[in-house]
Amino acid sequence: MVSLIYHPRYNVTAFGLERLHPFDSRKYQRIQSVLIERGLRRKSDFVRPSPVRRSDLLKVHSPDYLRSLESSDLLASILEVPIVRRLPSWLIDWRVLMPMRFASGGTILACRLALERGLAINLGGGYHHAARDWGGGFCVYADIPLAATILHEEGLVRKVLVVDLDAHQGNGTAAVIRDWPWASILDLYEEDLFPSRKEPEDYPLPVPAGLTGVEYLEIVDAVLPEALDTFRPDLLIYNAGSDPFVNDPLARLRLTRNDLAERDLLVASLARERSIPVAMVLSGGYSSESWRIHADAIEGLLTRFDRD
Ligand SMILES: [Zn+2]
């Protein structure tokens, strides 16, 4: 049975931030509610992570960077929310950063459970614009490289492939894992979006605005099998951003809800056919339908993989 990881503390509800697009406070909770309403899971089936500890964060972030997060000015620029500048840092830590540490803990747990169950989904995480000494685009902690290196250090995995299908380049993830020969990234992103300076990657797949779902899925289907067979990872961390959606305000790709569900099923199927465990994280998605897109895609994954 597929593991689902979630904690009520994922949801940012503070100072009206939840009404700003990056912090749809109801997104994660709504996904959980829909999966329960549809009879796919009971509330008690969701596994609750602990927040990531500072000692773990230091495996990928510098002490200076973690210290700099105590500055409201820096956080306001990472989170792109000017009002944060006027708030005391302890309050931001408790109401904004702590939810992100819970969700980062969820990514680590998803990777552990993926090794046991084959497929595990964290209903959050995927902060792929955060690197060792910098953050950006609402991303503070580099949860994907962190989870990868923890499992690698413990000897649980030898090689990790990150598949990043969020509409934006996973520049933070790419920058952290560049020096790790045991980790690699395949990244399909819209070329004209944030970040303006792209990071070098092993399998970069820049695509133009306006790409349709059919074209998008053809690319994934053509490239991912070869990457899996060449790199032969023993864990795939899938950054499943929903912002390639046609109505997403921050991107201009043209995937429908069905295309996105098909995409997630395709990635998971290609990996599972090769017995590669998959840990999926949700990452970006800024339309009002983002929660429904993820809920539908997760329903497709549970229907297909729960019996495995
Ligand atoms: Zn994105």
Side-chain angles (χ1 to χ4, degrees), residues 128-129 166-168 243 284-286:
H128 64 160
H129 300 306
D166 184 277
H168 302 87
D243 49 9
Y286 309 100

Side-chain angles (χ1 to χ4, degrees), residues 26-239:
R26 289 164 300 177
K27 174 171 166 176
Y28 309 116
Q29 183 256 316
R30 271 176 162 168
I31 297 169
Q32 187 204 32
S33 301
V34 169
L35 296 174
I36 294 168
E37 274 164 30
R38 293 181 187 173
L40 294 157
R41 289 291 187 275
R42 292 164 305 177
K43 203 165 188 178
S44 57
D45 293 329
F46 292 81
V47 189
R48 286 190 176 196
S50 311
V52 65
R53 294 185 303 252
R54 184 182 155 80
S55 56
D56 281 334
L57 288 170
L58 285 166
K59 294 179 196 293
V60 291
H61 293 295
S62 63
D64 283 350
Y65 174 70
L66 293 183
R67 210 169 301 123
S68 75
L69 297 176
E70 291 162 18
S71 144
S72 304
D73 277 352
L74 180 91
L75 275 172
S77 71
I78 292 176
L79 303 173
E80 300 179 14
V81 180
I83 193 181
V84 163
R85 206 162 275 140
R86 302 211 298 267
L87 303 169
S89 60
W90 63 265
L91 194 56
I92 302 166
D93 188 78
W94 178 244
R95 302 293 288 274
V96 181
L97 297 185
M98 186 59 101
M100 295 179 182
R101 290 199 292 272
F102 267 98
S104 298
T107 299
I108 299 166
L109 186 55
C111 289
R112 291 190 189 286
L113 292 171
L115 299 183
E116 287 173 23
R117 305 281 185 89
L119 175 60
I121 303 169
N122 180 20
L123 301 190
Y127 305 122
H128 64 160
H129 300 306
R132 178 178 154 80
D133 296 304
W134 43 269
F138 330 124
C139 299
V140 176
Y141 304 116
D143 60 324
I144 294 172
L146 176 58
T149 199
I150 287 174
L151 268 65
H152 187 257
E153 273 181 16
E154 291 177 10
L156 295 172
V157 294
R158 286 174 301 113
K159 288 207 259 176
V160 177
L161 178 68
V162 179
V163 173
D164 189 330
L165 299 187
D166 184 277
H168 302 87
Q169 196 209 26
N171 59 329
T173 306
V176 178
I177 70 173
R178 186 179 309 138
D179 299 330
W180 301 346
W182 53 269
S184 187
I185 180 167
L186 181 151
D187 192 347
L188 192 162
Y189 57 89
E190 187 185 324
E191 60 196 358
D192 56 358
L193 301 179
F194 173 93
S196 53
R197 199 177 75 89
K198 306 293 192 273
E199 292 290 330
E201 295 177 312
D202 295 330
Y203 304 96
L205 298 166
V207 298
L211 195 77
T212 65
V214 172
E215 294 164 322
Y216 183 106
L217 291 169
E218 270 175 14
I219 296 173
V220 176
D221 200 19
V223 177
L224 184 53
E226 202 187 317
L228 293 172
D229 293 335
T230 312
F231 191 67
R232 299 172 63 85
D234 32 26
L235 173 66
L236 187 160
I237 305 179
Y238 174 34
N239 194 53

